[in-house]
Amino acid sequence: QKAYGETTVQTRLHQAYFRRDVLLVHRNRCCVCELRVRPLLQGAHIVPDSDAMGVPSVQNGLSLCSLHHGAYDRGIIRIKPDYTIRVEEEWVSSDDSFAQYALSAFEGRSILLPTELAHRPNPEFLSWRYVR
């Protein structure tokens, strides 16, 4: 038997603009794997929106595909202030070839960066997130 309830949701009105701007400066690619399938790309906050430092600017954003955004939010992949990728290997099983291909293969690589220096992710924000 189906049952339905009503909920109230608070919506971040700036999120669509944040995503558009972040994807634009990252040339509509995941900054980890360079996937170009726009419906699968998301604007990920480095410092969460809920934090006082979490401004909706491109310097606080990463263009990530759905997989890498989920991995980033859960700390499975992390990005150092020098823009290199760190994979928390305890999450990647040796018999999981897809996880090795989709996650471990990016260990130590640099993310794809926006061309303009002013649009690059803020290293201070990355540092703040990296230690969390």
Side-chain angles (χ1 to χ4, degrees):
Q1 157 175 338
K2 294 183 180 182
Y4 297 90
E6 205 170 297
T7 60
T8 303
V9 179
Q10 189 174 28
T11 302
R12 298 177 292 174
L13 299 175
H14 62 275
Q15 187 61 25
Y17 300 108
F18 174 77
R19 177 183 182 269
R20 179 200 63 203
D21 294 346
V22 169
L23 268 55
L24 180 66
V25 301
H26 284 271
R27 300 182 303 278
N28 293 303
R29 299 175 187 191
C30 173
C31 70
V32 172
C33 68
E34 298 191 34
L35 180 75
R36 298 179 194 193
V37 181
R38 190 172 170 86
L40 297 178
L41 297 177
Q42 302 170 350
H45 289 85
I46 299 167
V47 177
D49 203 37
S50 59
D51 190 278
M53 285 182 15
V55 295
S57 70
V58 294
Q59 296 85 5
N60 187 37
L62 298 167
S63 176
L64 294 170
C65 67
S66 303
L67 174 70
H68 290 122
H69 189 178
Y72 185 70
D73 281 352
R74 288 160 185 80
I76 297 168
I77 62 169
R78 297 188 296 152
I79 299 172
K80 297 178 182 181
D82 68 358
Y83 306 117
T84 58
I85 300 164
R86 170 83 181 111
V87 179
E88 298 302 325
E89 291 295 335
E90 69 266 12
W91 292 101
V92 180
S93 174
S94 61
D95 64 344
D96 187 343
S97 59
F98 182 75
Q100 292 191 10
Y101 173 79
L103 299 169
S104 297
F106 297 101
E107 170 70 30
R109 292 189 188 180
S110 293
I111 62 169
L112 176 72
L113 291 168
T115 307
E116 285 194 44
L117 292 174
H119 293 155
R120 291 186 176 180
N122 184 324
E124 289 180 28
F125 294 160
L126 291 169
S127 179
W128 181 92
R129 177 68 177 258
Y130 189 78
V131 298
R132 304 242 168 316

